[in-house]
Amino acid sequence: MAKTVFIDGEAGTTGLGIRERLQNVAGVELRSLSGDKRKDPEARRALMAEVDLAVLCLPDDAAKESVTLADSLGDKAPKILDASTAHRVAPGWVYGFAELAAGHAGRIASAAKVSNPGCYPTGAIALLRPLVDAGLMPADYPVTINAVSGYSGGGKSMIEAHERDGGPAFELYALSLVHKHVPELMAFGRLMRRPIFVPSVGHFRQGMLVSIPLHLDTLPARPKAGDLKAALVAHFAGAGQVLVCEAEASGKLEPEALNNTDKLELRVFANEAEHQAVLVARLDNLGKGASGAAVQNIRLMLDI
């Protein structure tokens, strides 16, 4: 029997991406509301009672309201996958990065409520968590995370601005050093010290690079580049969607190579003589950074 899925907020960028991907997944039946019923709480609640899983592609406050609707159904409540930032560090929710640690995919599979990760944190946590777990980076190490995304990561208004008016070639943002992704970066990167996170957007639709510079001689173990890479390889052994790659000899990396895939690539660039390294993650912000990760979690949650 097919498993039923309702995408609450299916008209947005992430919702559309999930719908497109699920249409190619055997054993899944998509259920929808039309017209004004999409914003009718009772209509949404009634549909939630009929499906196996509800995916929330909504602003944070609306996502919280949808969770309240689902909770009111008691035993008839569906499993919930929330693509907003509302529940990423909330008690009772499982973080939806399947490759986070050994056994974590199993936790997602058995969970009633899963929070889909942010695109930037997916890259940063993939680089940081293995080093902390391996003892190569102290949890209180002062980390700086630089990242650039295609403009589709900014949602409908940014997409329209770039595609209508051209938009800026490149811009930094969140320079107040406050960003909604920082709590999950700390929680799942196992960081005790708040990182400096500097996101940016470029005038290209999708694609993402996340980079973390390191002074290797300030790390207690004084690791070499090979030690960092070995920790990444060991952590993600058997993870088909996360690839640890050789650093390009050119010292260059562009952000769009993984567009329209659900892959995540990790690299260690280093200058051993200067005891410096830069860790880099590349992904499609709409793939492994959003809709692709959601479908991976849906497969786990519905045992497909």
Side-chain angles (χ1 to χ4, degrees):
M1 180 180 295
K3 301 296 180 69
T4 51
V5 175
F6 165 45
I7 305 173
D8 195 357
E10 65 178 15
T13 303
T14 299
L16 289 171
I18 294 171
R19 168 171 280 279
E20 180 180 354
R21 283 169 166 81
L22 285 180
Q23 287 173 341
N24 299 318
V25 177
V28 171
E29 177 186 333
L30 290 169
R31 303 287 300 277
S32 297
L33 293 172
S34 59
D36 293 340
K37 289 186 177 180
R38 291 181 178 178
K39 297 185 179 180
D40 181 342
E42 285 307 312
R44 289 159 56 214
R45 182 177 182 274
L47 184 53
M48 285 183 183
E50 299 175 3
V51 300
D52 296 300
L53 186 146
V55 184
L56 310 182
C57 298
L58 301 164
D60 286 8
D61 288 343
K64 292 176 182 177
E65 292 173 3
S66 284
V67 172
T68 299
L69 289 176
D71 287 345
S72 72
L73 292 168
D75 292 342
K76 293 185 177 181
K79 289 190 170 187
I80 301 288
L81 174 64
D82 184 9
S84 80
T85 63
H87 300 102
R88 288 183 183 158
V89 294
W93 288 75
V94 173
Y95 193 61
F97 185 12
E99 300 86 0
L100 180 67
H104 195 73
R107 292 190 63 208
I108 294 170
S110 61
K113 294 177 178 177
V114 174
S115 58
N116 214 49
C119 50
Y120 290 127
T122 294
I125 291 167
L127 294 169
L128 292 167
R129 178 67 176 262
L131 304 189
V132 176
D133 284 355
L136 296 176
M137 176 184 289
D140 63 351
Y141 188 78
V143 172
T144 297
I145 302 166
N146 301 298
V148 59
S149 172
Y151 59 77
S152 57
K156 184 178 180 180
S157 60
M158 182 175 287
I159 292 171
E160 289 179 348
H162 274 263
E163 295 186 349
R164 182 187 64 242
D165 302 326
F170 178 87
E171 63 180 343
L172 297 174
Y173 65 99
L175 290 174
S176 62
L177 302 184
V178 175
H179 195 282
K180 62 184 180 180
H181 287 329
V182 170
E184 67 186 283
L185 283 168
M186 293 187 68
F188 302 106
R190 287 189 169 169
L191 302 178
M192 294 176 61
R193 178 181 296 209
R194 192 175 186 275
I196 294 176
F197 174 46
V198 186
S200 60
V201 62
H203 186 56
F204 52 95
R205 181 174 175 82
Q206 64 197 84
M208 174 171 286
L209 294 174
V210 180
S211 59
I212 300 174
L214 296 175
H215 289 276
L216 300 180
D217 55 358
T218 67
L219 293 168
R222 300 178 71 87
K224 303 289 188 180
D227 300 319
L228 304 180
K229 184 179 178 182
L232 296 176
V233 169
H235 191 96
F236 294 108
Q241 290 181 310
V242 182
L243 309 172
V244 181
C245 304
E246 292 294 331
E248 277 72 0
S250 66
K252 298 179 180 179
L253 202 63
E254 58 85 24
E256 299 178 277
L258 294 182
N259 285 4
N260 302 313
T261 79
D262 297 331
K263 300 293 186 182
L264 169 63
E265 292 180 348
L266 308 177
R267 289 171 171 80
V268 178
F269 292 86
N271 184 323
E272 301 282 10
E274 301 295 342
H275 310 292
Q276 294 177 333
V278 179
L279 313 177
V280 184
R282 176 162 63 183
L283 64 157
D284 180 354
N285 60 291
L286 298 182
K288 183 61 172 169
S291 302
V295 171
Q296 183 182 9
N297 289 323
I298 290 167
R299 285 179 175 274
L300 290 168
M301 296 172 77
L302 296 181
D303 191 25
I304 298 174

